[in-house]
Amino acid sequence: MSEIAKQREAFEAKIREYVGVKEGPPASGPDLVNEPMIRHWCEVLGDENPAYLDPNFAKSSVHGGIVAPPTMLQAWVMVGYPMHDPALVKPNKQNELHALFDEHGYTGVVATDTTQEYTRYLRPGDQVTAETTIESISEQKATALGIGYFIETRTVFTDQNGEDLGWMTFRVLKFRPGEQPAAPKADDGAPAKPTRIVSPRGHDNTWWWEALDQGKLLIQKCSSCGALRHPPRPMCGKCQSTEWESIESSGRGTVHSYTVLHYPPIPGYDFPLPVVLVDLEEGTRMIANIVDCPIEDIRIGMKVECRFEMTEGDINLPFFYPAK
Ligand SMILES: [Zn+2]
């Protein structure tokens, strides 16, 4: 066995010891479930469901009172601002495992996916406690970011009576930056430009992508109350109807906000990468890249129009450019 293979075997034996290990003791959220936090969450996400916000409506609903959006489950136990500095967070087994990866050159980390399941609605006064287990570590994988391992954790949430509230799995890739697998070569032998990651198409959004392939920018419209929504999703946030149709957008709009991404570099994009949030003239918003516009000239309120461009990897995408 080569020296490198021996080192890898020794490293993998060390990381395998963490599989099945609890991250630390169960941790309770700093605050009980409360209405102000629910209101802030709904405000940020634009969720106007009165079961979360209007005590009178909530009282007369099936819930009998205010409930929290189920997707807040993890928010109740999050550490908050100290998370930006590992030195401020209490040591735990997951951090220890990440440090072990770092020591062996796997210094990169990227979250890849998460799944949550909810057992019941949370109500003001509930105390959420979470316990996280390092559930699995994959075989070594070659990814577009570099060679690495996927680490999956499972967090189980319980209430003040020890009753089940739901669970969450969370997966990250720990990778060696700069050890990319050999890039595909173009015909002239030069490394081919990496292509954009293809957006996942599923039951709820394939129709939108297929229309885009035909050069149409569609907006989903609730058949019941007429509210527009984007990106595509199964239920109306205003009236909870699952009946919908679509209208075609003119592609004209106004920059509501924008940001310029510098890091981390994602294959298939040129950096710095300007991203705009556009108020479409039909009355909903969408996010896309802006082109034909120097970054310093991007302004909130500027008029933009949309055009479609086939990107590498045969993905037709909408791009905004300054309106003439
Ligand atoms: Zn509706």
mmCIF file with all atom_site columns, all heavy atoms in Angstrom, residues 184-209:
data_model
loop_
_atom_site.group_PDB
_atom_site.id
_atom_site.type_symbol
_atom_site.label_atom_id
_atom_site.label_alt_id
_atom_site.label_comp_id
_atom_site.label_asym_id
_atom_site.label_entity_id
_atom_site.label_seq_id
_atom_site.pdbx_PDB_ins_code
_atom_site.Cartn_x
_atom_site.Cartn_y
_atom_site.Cartn_z
_atom_site.occupancy
_atom_site.B_iso_or_equiv
_atom_site.pdbx_formal_charge
_atom_site.auth_seq_id
_atom_site.auth_comp_id
_atom_site.auth_asym_id
_atom_site.auth_atom_id
_atom_site.pdbx_PDB_model_num
ATOM 1   N N   . PRO A 1 184 ? -12.762 19.077 -17.695 1.00 0.00 ? 184 PRO A N   1
ATOM 2   C CA  . PRO A 1 184 ? -12.905 18.581 -19.069 1.00 0.00 ? 184 PRO A CA  1
ATOM 3   C C   . PRO A 1 184 ? -12.185 19.517 -20.032 1.00 0.00 ? 184 PRO A C   1
ATOM 4   O O   . PRO A 1 184 ? -12.131 20.722 -19.818 1.00 0.00 ? 184 PRO A O   1
ATOM 5   C CB  . PRO A 1 184 ? -14.419 18.625 -19.291 1.00 0.00 ? 184 PRO A CB  1
ATOM 6   C CG  . PRO A 1 184 ? -14.968 19.519 -18.230 1.00 0.00 ? 184 PRO A CG  1
ATOM 7   C CD  . PRO A 1 184 ? -14.009 19.481 -17.099 1.00 0.00 ? 184 PRO A CD  1
ATOM 8   N N   . LYS A 1 185 ? -11.604 18.977 -21.071 1.00 0.00 ? 185 LYS A N   1
ATOM 9   C CA  . LYS A 1 185 ? -10.846 19.787 -22.020 1.00 0.00 ? 185 LYS A CA  1
ATOM 10  C C   . LYS A 1 185 ? -11.724 20.148 -23.219 1.00 0.00 ? 185 LYS A C   1
ATOM 11  O O   . LYS A 1 185 ? -12.500 19.335 -23.703 1.00 0.00 ? 185 LYS A O   1
ATOM 12  C CB  . LYS A 1 185 ? -9.622  18.999 -22.530 1.00 0.00 ? 185 LYS A CB  1
ATOM 13  C CG  . LYS A 1 185 ? -8.637  18.613 -21.439 1.00 0.00 ? 185 LYS A CG  1
ATOM 14  C CD  . LYS A 1 185 ? -7.689  19.747 -21.130 1.00 0.00 ? 185 LYS A CD  1
ATOM 15  C CE  . LYS A 1 185 ? -6.485  19.259 -20.355 1.00 0.00 ? 185 LYS A CE  1
ATOM 16  N NZ  . LYS A 1 185 ? -6.226  19.786 -19.103 1.00 0.00 ? 185 LYS A NZ  1
ATOM 17  N N   . ALA A 1 186 ? -11.568 21.404 -23.671 1.00 0.00 ? 186 ALA A N   1
ATOM 18  C CA  . ALA A 1 186 ? -12.244 21.807 -24.900 1.00 0.00 ? 186 ALA A CA  1
ATOM 19  C C   . ALA A 1 186 ? -11.507 21.197 -26.086 1.00 0.00 ? 186 ALA A C   1
ATOM 20  O O   . ALA A 1 186 ? -10.449 20.598 -25.926 1.00 0.00 ? 186 ALA A O   1
ATOM 21  C CB  . ALA A 1 186 ? -12.264 23.320 -24.997 1.00 0.00 ? 186 ALA A CB  1
ATOM 22  N N   . ASP A 1 187 ? -12.075 21.373 -27.284 1.00 0.00 ? 187 ASP A N   1
ATOM 23  C CA  . ASP A 1 187 ? -11.497 20.760 -28.483 1.00 0.00 ? 187 ASP A CA  1
ATOM 24  C C   . ASP A 1 187 ? -10.039 21.168 -28.704 1.00 0.00 ? 187 ASP A C   1
ATOM 25  O O   . ASP A 1 187 ? -9.230  20.385 -29.185 1.00 0.00 ? 187 ASP A O   1
ATOM 26  C CB  . ASP A 1 187 ? -12.318 21.141 -29.732 1.00 0.00 ? 187 ASP A CB  1
ATOM 27  C CG  . ASP A 1 187 ? -13.691 20.478 -29.674 1.00 0.00 ? 187 ASP A CG  1
ATOM 28  O OD1 . ASP A 1 187 ? -13.834 19.522 -28.879 1.00 0.00 ? 187 ASP A OD1 1
ATOM 29  O OD2 . ASP A 1 187 ? -14.594 20.920 -30.395 1.00 0.00 ? 187 ASP A OD2 1
ATOM 30  N N   . ASP A 1 188 ? -9.725  22.446 -28.355 1.00 0.00 ? 188 ASP A N   1
ATOM 31  C CA  . ASP A 1 188 ? -8.355  22.916 -28.604 1.00 0.00 ? 188 ASP A CA  1
ATOM 32  C C   . ASP A 1 188 ? -7.389  22.524 -27.488 1.00 0.00 ? 188 ASP A C   1
ATOM 33  O O   . ASP A 1 188 ? -6.254  22.957 -27.466 1.00 0.00 ? 188 ASP A O   1
ATOM 34  C CB  . ASP A 1 188 ? -8.356  24.442 -28.802 1.00 0.00 ? 188 ASP A CB  1
ATOM 35  C CG  . ASP A 1 188 ? -8.879  25.165 -27.561 1.00 0.00 ? 188 ASP A CG  1
ATOM 36  O OD1 . ASP A 1 188 ? -9.196  24.478 -26.558 1.00 0.00 ? 188 ASP A OD1 1
ATOM 37  O OD2 . ASP A 1 188 ? -8.973  26.397 -27.590 1.00 0.00 ? 188 ASP A OD2 1
ATOM 38  N N   . GLY A 1 189 ? -7.866  21.709 -26.543 1.00 0.00 ? 189 GLY A N   1
ATOM 39  C CA  . GLY A 1 189 ? -6.986  21.224 -25.497 1.00 0.00 ? 189 GLY A CA  1
ATOM 40  C C   . GLY A 1 189 ? -6.952  22.110 -24.272 1.00 0.00 ? 189 GLY A C   1
ATOM 41  O O   . GLY A 1 189 ? -6.432  21.732 -23.235 1.00 0.00 ? 189 GLY A O   1
ATOM 42  N N   . ALA A 1 190 ? -7.511  23.326 -24.380 1.00 0.00 ? 190 ALA A N   1
ATOM 43  C CA  . ALA A 1 190 ? -7.547  24.221 -23.223 1.00 0.00 ? 190 ALA A CA  1
ATOM 44  C C   . ALA A 1 190 ? -8.619  23.712 -22.250 1.00 0.00 ? 190 ALA A C   1
ATOM 45  O O   . ALA A 1 190 ? -9.573  23.075 -22.676 1.00 0.00 ? 190 ALA A O   1
ATOM 46  C CB  . ALA A 1 190 ? -7.895  25.636 -23.667 1.00 0.00 ? 190 ALA A CB  1
ATOM 47  N N   . PRO A 1 191 ? -8.429  23.990 -20.944 1.00 0.00 ? 191 PRO A N   1
ATOM 48  C CA  . PRO A 1 191 ? -9.460  23.532 -20.013 1.00 0.00 ? 191 PRO A CA  1
ATOM 49  C C   . PRO A 1 191 ? -10.801 24.186 -20.361 1.00 0.00 ? 191 PRO A C   1
ATOM 50  O O   . PRO A 1 191 ? -10.851 25.383 -20.615 1.00 0.00 ? 191 PRO A O   1
ATOM 51  C CB  . PRO A 1 191 ? -8.955  24.032 -18.646 1.00 0.00 ? 191 PRO A CB  1
ATOM 52  C CG  . PRO A 1 191 ? -7.531  24.397 -18.845 1.00 0.00 ? 191 PRO A CG  1
ATOM 53  C CD  . PRO A 1 191 ? -7.360  24.738 -20.298 1.00 0.00 ? 191 PRO A CD  1
ATOM 54  N N   . ALA A 1 192 ? -11.852 23.389 -20.415 1.00 0.00 ? 192 ALA A N   1
ATOM 55  C CA  . ALA A 1 192 ? -13.174 23.937 -20.726 1.00 0.00 ? 192 ALA A CA  1
ATOM 56  C C   . ALA A 1 192 ? -13.669 24.739 -19.534 1.00 0.00 ? 192 ALA A C   1
ATOM 57  O O   . ALA A 1 192 ? -13.355 24.424 -18.390 1.00 0.00 ? 192 ALA A O   1
ATOM 58  C CB  . ALA A 1 192 ? -14.137 22.804 -21.040 1.00 0.00 ? 192 ALA A CB  1
ATOM 59  N N   . LYS A 1 193 ? -14.416 25.797 -19.804 1.00 0.00 ? 193 LYS A N   1
ATOM 60  C CA  . LYS A 1 193 ? -14.996 26.593 -18.715 1.00 0.00 ? 193 LYS A CA  1
ATOM 61  C C   . LYS A 1 193 ? -16.036 25.730 -17.997 1.00 0.00 ? 193 LYS A C   1
ATOM 62  O O   . LYS A 1 193 ? -16.850 25.085 -18.650 1.00 0.00 ? 193 LYS A O   1
ATOM 63  C CB  . LYS A 1 193 ? -15.662 27.822 -19.325 1.00 0.00 ? 193 LYS A CB  1
ATOM 64  C CG  . LYS A 1 193 ? -15.954 28.896 -18.302 1.00 0.00 ? 193 LYS A CG  1
ATOM 65  C CD  . LYS A 1 193 ? -16.606 30.087 -18.965 1.00 0.00 ? 193 LYS A CD  1
ATOM 66  C CE  . LYS A 1 193 ? -17.212 30.953 -17.883 1.00 0.00 ? 193 LYS A CE  1
ATOM 67  N NZ  . LYS A 1 193 ? -18.217 31.863 -18.374 1.00 0.00 ? 193 LYS A NZ  1
ATOM 68  N N   . PRO A 1 194 ? -15.983 25.692 -16.667 1.00 0.00 ? 194 PRO A N   1
ATOM 69  C CA  . PRO A 1 194 ? -17.003 24.884 -15.985 1.00 0.00 ? 194 PRO A CA  1
ATOM 70  C C   . PRO A 1 194 ? -18.397 25.438 -16.268 1.00 0.00 ? 194 PRO A C   1
ATOM 71  O O   . PRO A 1 194 ? -18.555 26.638 -16.476 1.00 0.00 ? 194 PRO A O   1
ATOM 72  C CB  . PRO A 1 194 ? -16.653 25.022 -14.505 1.00 0.00 ? 194 PRO A CB  1
ATOM 73  C CG  . PRO A 1 194 ? -15.604 26.071 -14.409 1.00 0.00 ? 194 PRO A CG  1
ATOM 74  C CD  . PRO A 1 194 ? -15.111 26.406 -15.764 1.00 0.00 ? 194 PRO A CD  1
ATOM 75  N N   . THR A 1 195 ? -19.362 24.576 -16.289 1.00 0.00 ? 195 THR A N   1
ATOM 76  C CA  . THR A 1 195 ? -20.714 25.020 -16.606 1.00 0.00 ? 195 THR A CA  1
ATOM 77  C C   . THR A 1 195 ? -21.485 25.310 -15.320 1.00 0.00 ? 195 THR A C   1
ATOM 78  O O   . THR A 1 195 ? -21.125 24.856 -14.245 1.00 0.00 ? 195 THR A O   1
ATOM 79  C CB  . THR A 1 195 ? -21.466 23.947 -17.405 1.00 0.00 ? 195 THR A CB  1
ATOM 80  O OG1 . THR A 1 195 ? -21.464 22.751 -16.636 1.00 0.00 ? 195 THR A OG1 1
ATOM 81  C CG2 . THR A 1 195 ? -20.815 23.699 -18.743 1.00 0.00 ? 195 THR A CG2 1
ATOM 82  N N   . ARG A 1 196 ? -22.555 26.081 -15.460 1.00 0.00 ? 196 ARG A N   1
ATOM 83  C CA  . ARG A 1 196 ? -23.401 26.382 -14.309 1.00 0.00 ? 196 ARG A CA  1
ATOM 84  C C   . ARG A 1 196 ? -24.062 25.109 -13.796 1.00 0.00 ? 196 ARG A C   1
ATOM 85  O O   . ARG A 1 196 ? -24.311 24.183 -14.562 1.00 0.00 ? 196 ARG A O   1
ATOM 86  C CB  . ARG A 1 196 ? -24.498 27.357 -14.707 1.00 0.00 ? 196 ARG A CB  1
ATOM 87  C CG  . ARG A 1 196 ? -23.989 28.732 -15.011 1.00 0.00 ? 196 ARG A CG  1
ATOM 88  C CD  . ARG A 1 196 ? -25.138 29.700 -15.067 1.00 0.00 ? 196 ARG A CD  1
ATOM 89  N NE  . ARG A 1 196 ? -24.657 31.030 -15.395 1.00 0.00 ? 196 ARG A NE  1
ATOM 90  C CZ  . ARG A 1 196 ? -25.205 32.149 -14.936 1.00 0.00 ? 196 ARG A CZ  1
ATOM 91  N NH1 . ARG A 1 196 ? -26.267 32.096 -14.166 1.00 0.00 ? 196 ARG A NH1 1
ATOM 92  N NH2 . ARG A 1 196 ? -24.716 33.320 -15.262 1.00 0.00 ? 196 ARG A NH2 1
ATOM 93  N N   . ILE A 1 197 ? -24.356 25.119 -12.511 1.00 0.00 ? 197 ILE A N   1
ATOM 94  C CA  . ILE A 1 197 ? -25.056 23.977 -11.937 1.00 0.00 ? 197 ILE A CA  1
ATOM 95  C C   . ILE A 1 197 ? -26.509 24.041 -12.410 1.00 0.00 ? 197 ILE A C   1
ATOM 96  O O   . ILE A 1 197 ? -27.152 25.091 -12.309 1.00 0.00 ? 197 ILE A O   1
ATOM 97  C CB  . ILE A 1 197 ? -24.980 24.030 -10.404 1.00 0.00 ? 197 ILE A CB  1
ATOM 98  C CG1 . ILE A 1 197 ? -23.508 23.907 -9.974  1.00 0.00 ? 197 ILE A CG1 1
ATOM 99  C CG2 . ILE A 1 197 ? -25.835 22.955 -9.771  1.00 0.00 ? 197 ILE A CG2 1
ATOM 100 C CD1 . ILE A 1 197 ? -23.253 24.335 -8.551  1.00 0.00 ? 197 ILE A CD1 1
ATOM 101 N N   . VAL A 1 198 ? -27.009 22.953 -12.940 1.00 0.00 ? 198 VAL A N   1
ATOM 102 C CA  . VAL A 1 198 ? -28.382 22.929 -13.433 1.00 0.00 ? 198 VAL A CA  1
ATOM 103 C C   . VAL A 1 198 ? -29.343 22.973 -12.244 1.00 0.00 ? 198 VAL A C   1
ATOM 104 O O   . VAL A 1 198 ? -29.167 22.256 -11.268 1.00 0.00 ? 198 VAL A O   1
ATOM 105 C CB  . VAL A 1 198 ? -28.627 21.644 -14.261 1.00 0.00 ? 198 VAL A CB  1
ATOM 106 C CG1 . VAL A 1 198 ? -30.057 21.599 -14.765 1.00 0.00 ? 198 VAL A CG1 1
ATOM 107 C CG2 . VAL A 1 198 ? -27.647 21.577 -15.418 1.00 0.00 ? 198 VAL A CG2 1
ATOM 108 N N   . SER A 1 199 ? -30.342 23.854 -12.326 1.00 0.00 ? 199 SER A N   1
ATOM 109 C CA  . SER A 1 199 ? -31.308 23.961 -11.231 1.00 0.00 ? 199 SER A CA  1
ATOM 110 C C   . SER A 1 199 ? -32.122 22.680 -11.150 1.00 0.00 ? 199 SER A C   1
ATOM 111 O O   . SER A 1 199 ? -32.521 22.140 -12.172 1.00 0.00 ? 199 SER A O   1
ATOM 112 C CB  . SER A 1 199 ? -32.259 25.123 -11.476 1.00 0.00 ? 199 SER A CB  1
ATOM 113 O OG  . SER A 1 199 ? -31.523 26.304 -11.559 1.00 0.00 ? 199 SER A OG  1
ATOM 114 N N   . PRO A 1 200 ? -32.379 22.221 -9.930  1.00 0.00 ? 200 PRO A N   1
ATOM 115 C CA  . PRO A 1 200 ? -33.202 21.017 -9.811  1.00 0.00 ? 200 PRO A CA  1
ATOM 116 C C   . PRO A 1 200 ? -34.611 21.292 -10.348 1.00 0.00 ? 200 PRO A C   1
ATOM 117 O O   . PRO A 1 200 ? -35.187 22.338 -10.078 1.00 0.00 ? 200 PRO A O   1
ATOM 118 C CB  . PRO A 1 200 ? -33.249 20.763 -8.301  1.00 0.00 ? 200 PRO A CB  1
ATOM 119 C CG  . PRO A 1 200 ? -32.226 21.661 -7.696  1.00 0.00 ? 200 PRO A CG  1
ATOM 120 C CD  . PRO A 1 200 ? -31.987 22.784 -8.649  1.00 0.00 ? 200 PRO A CD  1
ATOM 121 N N   . ARG A 1 201 ? -35.114 20.381 -11.140 1.00 0.00 ? 201 ARG A N   1
ATOM 122 C CA  . ARG A 1 201 ? -36.486 20.512 -11.634 1.00 0.00 ? 201 ARG A CA  1
ATOM 123 C C   . ARG A 1 201 ? -37.321 19.416 -10.988 1.00 0.00 ? 201 ARG A C   1
ATOM 124 O O   . ARG A 1 201 ? -36.962 18.247 -11.053 1.00 0.00 ? 201 ARG A O   1
ATOM 125 C CB  . ARG A 1 201 ? -36.535 20.349 -13.160 1.00 0.00 ? 201 ARG A CB  1
ATOM 126 C CG  . ARG A 1 201 ? -35.754 21.440 -13.877 1.00 0.00 ? 201 ARG A CG  1
ATOM 127 C CD  . ARG A 1 201 ? -35.922 21.372 -15.380 1.00 0.00 ? 201 ARG A CD  1
ATOM 128 N NE  . ARG A 1 201 ? -35.057 22.389 -16.008 1.00 0.00 ? 201 ARG A NE  1
ATOM 129 C CZ  . ARG A 1 201 ? -35.169 22.779 -17.268 1.00 0.00 ? 201 ARG A CZ  1
ATOM 130 N NH1 . ARG A 1 201 ? -36.085 22.247 -18.049 1.00 0.00 ? 201 ARG A NH1 1
ATOM 131 N NH2 . ARG A 1 201 ? -34.359 23.701 -17.749 1.00 0.00 ? 201 ARG A NH2 1
ATOM 132 N N   . GLY A 1 202 ? -38.406 19.818 -10.389 1.00 0.00 ? 202 GLY A N   1
ATOM 133 C CA  . GLY A 1 202 ? -39.250 18.843 -9.711  1.00 0.00 ? 202 GLY A CA  1
ATOM 134 C C   . GLY A 1 202 ? -40.703 19.031 -10.092 1.00 0.00 ? 202 GLY A C   1
ATOM 135 O O   . GLY A 1 202 ? -41.040 19.797 -11.009 1.00 0.00 ? 202 GLY A O   1
ATOM 136 N N   . HIS A 1 203 ? -41.563 18.368 -9.356  1.00 0.00 ? 203 HIS A N   1
ATOM 137 C CA  . HIS A 1 203 ? -42.996 18.381 -9.614  1.00 0.00 ? 203 HIS A CA  1
ATOM 138 C C   . HIS A 1 203 ? -43.549 19.800 -9.678  1.00 0.00 ? 203 HIS A C   1
ATOM 139 O O   . HIS A 1 203 ? -44.416 20.115 -10.471 1.00 0.00 ? 203 HIS A O   1
ATOM 140 C CB  . HIS A 1 203 ? -43.692 17.590 -8.501  1.00 0.00 ? 203 HIS A CB  1
ATOM 141 C CG  . HIS A 1 203 ? -45.183 17.590 -8.583  1.00 0.00 ? 203 HIS A CG  1
ATOM 142 N ND1 . HIS A 1 203 ? -45.856 16.839 -9.521  1.00 0.00 ? 203 HIS A ND1 1
ATOM 143 C CD2 . HIS A 1 203 ? -46.104 18.266 -7.876  1.00 0.00 ? 203 HIS A CD2 1
ATOM 144 C CE1 . HIS A 1 203 ? -47.148 17.058 -9.370  1.00 0.00 ? 203 HIS A CE1 1
ATOM 145 N NE2 . HIS A 1 203 ? -47.335 17.912 -8.388  1.00 0.00 ? 203 HIS A NE2 1
ATOM 146 N N   . ASP A 1 204 ? -43.026 20.701 -8.815  1.00 0.00 ? 204 ASP A N   1
ATOM 147 C CA  . ASP A 1 204 ? -43.634 22.027 -8.674  1.00 0.00 ? 204 ASP A CA  1
ATOM 148 C C   . ASP A 1 204 ? -43.035 23.099 -9.571  1.00 0.00 ? 204 ASP A C   1
ATOM 149 O O   . ASP A 1 204 ? -43.561 24.209 -9.617  1.00 0.00 ? 204 ASP A O   1
ATOM 150 C CB  . ASP A 1 204 ? -43.527 22.483 -7.208  1.00 0.00 ? 204 ASP A CB  1
ATOM 151 C CG  . ASP A 1 204 ? -44.312 21.576 -6.276  1.00 0.00 ? 204 ASP A CG  1
ATOM 152 O OD1 . ASP A 1 204 ? -45.430 21.186 -6.658  1.00 0.00 ? 204 ASP A OD1 1
ATOM 153 O OD2 . ASP A 1 204 ? -43.795 21.248 -5.195  1.00 0.00 ? 204 ASP A OD2 1
ATOM 154 N N   . ASN A 1 205 ? -41.905 22.822 -10.229 1.00 0.00 ? 205 ASN A N   1
ATOM 155 C CA  . ASN A 1 205 ? -41.295 23.909 -11.000 1.00 0.00 ? 205 ASN A CA  1
ATOM 156 C C   . ASN A 1 205 ? -40.860 23.548 -12.411 1.00 0.00 ? 205 ASN A C   1
ATOM 157 O O   . ASN A 1 205 ? -40.411 24.411 -13.160 1.00 0.00 ? 205 ASN A O   1
ATOM 158 C CB  . ASN A 1 205 ? -40.094 24.490 -10.233 1.00 0.00 ? 205 ASN A CB  1
ATOM 159 C CG  . ASN A 1 205 ? -38.925 23.520 -10.164 1.00 0.00 ? 205 ASN A CG  1
ATOM 160 O OD1 . ASN A 1 205 ? -39.042 22.356 -10.533 1.00 0.00 ? 205 ASN A OD1 1
ATOM 161 N ND2 . ASN A 1 205 ? -37.799 23.992 -9.699  1.00 0.00 ? 205 ASN A ND2 1
ATOM 162 N N   . THR A 1 206 ? -41.001 22.261 -12.804 1.00 0.00 ? 206 THR A N   1
ATOM 163 C CA  . THR A 1 206 ? -40.554 21.875 -14.147 1.00 0.00 ? 206 THR A CA  1
ATOM 164 C C   . THR A 1 206 ? -41.262 22.700 -15.214 1.00 0.00 ? 206 THR A C   1
ATOM 165 O O   . THR A 1 206 ? -40.634 23.130 -16.180 1.00 0.00 ? 206 THR A O   1
ATOM 166 C CB  . THR A 1 206 ? -40.802 20.364 -14.369 1.00 0.00 ? 206 THR A CB  1
ATOM 167 O OG1 . THR A 1 206 ? -39.992 19.653 -13.426 1.00 0.00 ? 206 THR A OG1 1
ATOM 168 C CG2 . THR A 1 206 ? -40.416 19.938 -15.775 1.00 0.00 ? 206 THR A CG2 1
ATOM 169 N N   . TRP A 1 207 ? -42.554 22.975 -15.038 1.00 0.00 ? 207 TRP A N   1
ATOM 170 C CA  . TRP A 1 207 ? -43.319 23.738 -16.030 1.00 0.00 ? 207 TRP A CA  1
ATOM 171 C C   . TRP A 1 207 ? -42.695 25.104 -16.284 1.00 0.00 ? 207 TRP A C   1
ATOM 172 O O   . TRP A 1 207 ? -42.677 25.600 -17.398 1.00 0.00 ? 207 TRP A O   1
ATOM 173 C CB  . TRP A 1 207 ? -44.775 23.914 -15.568 1.00 0.00 ? 207 TRP A CB  1
ATOM 174 C CG  . TRP A 1 207 ? -44.907 24.692 -14.285 1.00 0.00 ? 207 TRP A CG  1
ATOM 175 C CD1 . TRP A 1 207 ? -44.847 24.196 -13.020 1.00 0.00 ? 207 TRP A CD1 1
ATOM 176 C CD2 . TRP A 1 207 ? -45.078 26.111 -14.149 1.00 0.00 ? 207 TRP A CD2 1
ATOM 177 N NE1 . TRP A 1 207 ? -44.970 25.212 -12.099 1.00 0.00 ? 207 TRP A NE1 1
ATOM 178 C CE2 . TRP A 1 207 ? -45.124 26.401 -12.768 1.00 0.00 ? 207 TRP A CE2 1
ATOM 179 C CE3 . TRP A 1 207 ? -45.212 27.169 -15.053 1.00 0.00 ? 207 TRP A CE3 1
ATOM 180 C CZ2 . TRP A 1 207 ? -45.276 27.694 -12.276 1.00 0.00 ? 207 TRP A CZ2 1
ATOM 181 C CZ3 . TRP A 1 207 ? -45.376 28.458 -14.550 1.00 0.00 ? 207 TRP A CZ3 1
ATOM 182 C CH2 . TRP A 1 207 ? -45.404 28.710 -13.183 1.00 0.00 ? 207 TRP A CH2 1
ATOM 183 N N   . TRP A 1 208 ? -42.137 25.716 -15.220 1.00 0.00 ? 208 TRP A N   1
ATOM 184 C CA  . TRP A 1 208 ? -41.571 27.056 -15.350 1.00 0.00 ? 208 TRP A CA  1
ATOM 185 C C   . TRP A 1 208 ? -40.294 27.015 -16.202 1.00 0.00 ? 208 TRP A C   1
ATOM 186 O O   . TRP A 1 208 ? -40.096 27.835 -17.088 1.00 0.00 ? 208 TRP A O   1
ATOM 187 C CB  . TRP A 1 208 ? -41.290 27.625 -13.951 1.00 0.00 ? 208 TRP A CB  1
ATOM 188 C CG  . TRP A 1 208 ? -40.909 29.064 -13.975 1.00 0.00 ? 208 TRP A CG  1
ATOM 189 C CD1 . TRP A 1 208 ? -41.758 30.126 -14.014 1.00 0.00 ? 208 TRP A CD1 1
ATOM 190 C CD2 . TRP A 1 208 ? -39.579 29.602 -13.998 1.00 0.00 ? 208 TRP A CD2 1
ATOM 191 N NE1 . TRP A 1 208 ? -41.035 31.294 -14.057 1.00 0.00 ? 208 TRP A NE1 1
ATOM 192 C CE2 . TRP A 1 208 ? -39.695 31.004 -14.051 1.00 0.00 ? 208 TRP A CE2 1
ATOM 193 C CE3 . TRP A 1 208 ? -38.295 29.042 -13.993 1.00 0.00 ? 208 TRP A CE3 1
ATOM 194 C CZ2 . TRP A 1 208 ? -38.593 31.857 -14.074 1.00 0.00 ? 208 TRP A CZ2 1
ATOM 195 C CZ3 . TRP A 1 208 ? -37.199 29.886 -14.021 1.00 0.00 ? 208 TRP A CZ3 1
ATOM 196 C CH2 . TRP A 1 208 ? -37.345 31.272 -14.064 1.00 0.00 ? 208 TRP A CH2 1
ATOM 197 N N   . TRP A 1 209 ? -39.456 26.012 -15.912 1.00 0.00 ? 209 TRP A N   1
ATOM 198 C CA  . TRP A 1 209 ? -38.217 25.867 -16.674 1.00 0.00 ? 209 TRP A CA  1
ATOM 199 C C   . TRP A 1 209 ? -38.504 25.507 -18.131 1.00 0.00 ? 209 TRP A C   1
ATOM 200 O O   . TRP A 1 209 ? -37.802 25.971 -19.038 1.00 0.00 ? 209 TRP A O   1
ATOM 201 C CB  . TRP A 1 209 ? -37.313 24.817 -16.029 1.00 0.00 ? 209 TRP A CB  1
ATOM 202 C CG  . TRP A 1 209 ? -36.713 25.302 -14.754 1.00 0.00 ? 209 TRP A CG  1
ATOM 203 C CD1 . TRP A 1 209 ? -37.116 24.993 -13.483 1.00 0.00 ? 209 TRP A CD1 1
ATOM 204 C CD2 . TRP A 1 209 ? -35.622 26.218 -14.610 1.00 0.00 ? 209 TRP A CD2 1
ATOM 205 N NE1 . TRP A 1 209 ? -36.336 25.662 -12.576 1.00 0.00 ? 209 TRP A NE1 1
ATOM 206 C CE2 . TRP A 1 209 ? -35.414 26.411 -13.231 1.00 0.00 ? 209 TRP A CE2 1
ATOM 207 C CE3 . TRP A 1 209 ? -34.796 26.883 -15.521 1.00 0.00 ? 209 TRP A CE3 1
ATOM 208 C CZ2 . TRP A 1 209 ? -34.409 27.241 -12.734 1.00 0.00 ? 209 TRP A CZ2 1
ATOM 209 C CZ3 . TRP A 1 209 ? -33.797 27.715 -15.020 1.00 0.00 ? 209 TRP A CZ3 1
ATOM 210 C CH2 . TRP A 1 209 ? -33.612 27.887 -13.644 1.00 0.00 ? 209 TRP A CH2 1
#
